[in-house]
Amino acid sequence: MIRIKNAMIVFSLGLFFIPVILSAQDFEVSINASSADGSSISMTFGMEEGATDGFDLGTDEYAPPAPPTGFDAALAWDGDRYYTQILAGLYSDAGVEHVYDIALGYPGDNLITITWDNTGWSDLGTFVLQDAFGGALINVDMTIETSLELTNPAFNLLKLKVTPAGSAGRSR
């Protein structure tokens, strides 16, 4: 799923009106984590000009505490767990990297598959999924790939690096 909104501001120079698209593109995209038994968790992230970097009622959704064992997945941001976390999307965010964590709990068979539909993502910016070691073992360009299969419970924390585009008038 992808939702995009553009903002256009018109500048007036005397009798001439010049439409200029500023870096104001809001977006929401989703990724899914699933286990072999058919359990699935959807996580939504993005940016919106009216959002905050904290919890926004009506927009964000907290995830419950992680179970002691078994399959689990949630976005982690600023010490909280989310199924949906939309960050403040400001004009100044163009080209600025935002890093979400993805916290994972493995099922008994140690298999988690993460999938996403990246249609249109390359217009929004860069999206990279890495291991917690700076991408030494997992480094996925999410605008090219559409899935990641994990079989090692040592990878219980991934870094989701989102950098809104800063060229051609698009920043979020």
Side-chain angles (χ1 to χ4, degrees):
M1 177 190 92
I2 187 169
R3 186 182 75 171
I4 303 171
K5 296 185 284 185
N6 286 316
M8 185 166 64
I9 297 182
V10 177
F11 290 97
S12 172
L13 299 173
L15 298 174
F16 300 99
F17 292 94
I18 303 170
V20 177
I21 297 177
L22 294 178
S23 303
Q25 180 174 318
D26 299 347
F27 70 89
E28 290 179 19
V29 294
S30 295
I31 60 176
N32 298 299
S34 59
S35 65
D37 72 359
S39 298
S40 182
I41 296 173
S42 180
M43 296 167 281
T44 302
F45 61 94
M47 296 187 146
E48 189 171 302
E49 188 173 346
T52 69
D53 283 353
F55 179 79
D56 295 313
L57 188 63
T59 301
D60 297 326
E61 179 186 358
Y62 282 122
T69 61
F71 173 64
D72 182 57
L75 295 170
W77 180 264
D78 201 24
D80 289 315
R81 289 171 43 91
Y82 293 91
Y83 288 145
T84 301
Q85 172 58 341
I86 307 302
L87 300 178
L90 306 173
Y91 294 119
S92 60
D93 282 328
V96 177
E97 182 178 82
H98 298 73
V99 182
Y100 292 87
D101 289 333
I102 300 177
L104 300 169
Y106 282 76
D109 64 1
N110 290 334
L111 175 63
I112 294 177
T113 303
I114 300 175
T115 59
W116 55 92
D117 177 359
N118 61 10
T119 305
W121 285 25
S122 60
D123 291 338
L124 302 175
T126 61
F127 301 84
V128 176
L129 198 53
Q130 291 184 340
D131 58 57
F133 313 106
L137 302 170
I138 297 172
N139 192 18
V140 177
D141 181 341
M142 297 174 75
T143 62
I144 297 172
E145 301 296 327
T146 58
S147 67
L148 173 65
E149 188 172 282
L150 300 166
T151 58
N152 185 341
F155 296 112
N156 60 3
L157 184 70
L158 298 176
K159 299 292 184 179
L160 172 58
K161 297 182 174 190
V162 179
T163 305
S167 61
R170 303 191 110 160
S171 77
R172 294 188 219 92

